[in-house]
Amino acid sequence: MRVQLARQLLDRQIVDADGLLLGKVDDVGFAFDAQGVPYVAYLLTGQGALGRRIGGRVGRVLVALADRFTEGASTPLRIPFDQVARIDSAVRLRARADELPRPPAETWLRRHLIDRIPGADRASG
């Protein structure tokens, strides 16, 4: 079951309700119902999730890079599966990007790089 699910979800583009590209599905998180049956609880995206999925030396490098761009251990962005509206060529969400948690690497880049650029705090219009 997990292998079939992985083929359906992994590496598909994640698109928010407004059509904004959010990244790709790098892994899936499972939970168990009261009868012990596993189900997809959330989608994971980000370098840390991808690195853990790949494993080996390349995976460890990806996780280390993700950890470097966060204060502490990297935590992949978790998108609750109930936010998925449909799955076709992409995973399309019900939620808008601003309704989801920000990826840790994006938060780090904003704080340490983007916010230091003159005029970066202006709203684009």
Side-chain angles (χ1 to χ4, degrees):
M1 175 174 78
R2 184 175 175 154
V3 173
Q4 291 173 333
L5 180 65
R7 286 189 193 139
Q8 292 296 314
L9 293 173
L10 294 179
D11 299 322
R12 288 192 189 254
Q13 185 68 51
I14 302 169
V15 181
D16 82 344
D18 295 329
L20 182 66
L21 303 178
L22 301 178
K24 292 193 176 195
V25 177
D26 293 313
D27 207 350
V28 293
F30 290 91
F32 296 91
D33 67 13
Q35 290 75 36
V37 177
Y39 65 92
V40 176
Y42 46 86
L43 306 176
L44 297 168
T45 185
Q47 280 183 291
L50 179 60
R52 288 179 187 96
R53 184 180 107 203
I54 292 173
R57 185 177 298 199
V58 172
R60 286 191 301 273
V61 168
L62 287 173
V63 171
L65 285 171
D67 287 347
R68 177 74 172 107
F69 289 109
T70 58
E71 279 80 27
S74 65
T75 304
L77 175 60
R78 290 181 177 209
I79 300 172
F81 196 73
D82 62 4
Q83 291 298 320
V84 175
R86 73 178 191 277
I87 301 167
D88 48 34
S89 62
V91 176
R92 302 186 189 278
L93 303 179
R94 290 182 177 88
R96 295 176 39 220
D98 59 0
E99 298 169 337
L100 298 169
R102 289 207 169 191
E106 181 182 320
T107 302
W108 187 94
L109 286 169
R110 170 135 326 262
R111 185 179 314 129
H112 293 90
L113 182 66
I114 296 170
D115 285 348
R116 294 178 182 195
I117 298 171
D121 59 342
R122 290 188 306 222
S124 58

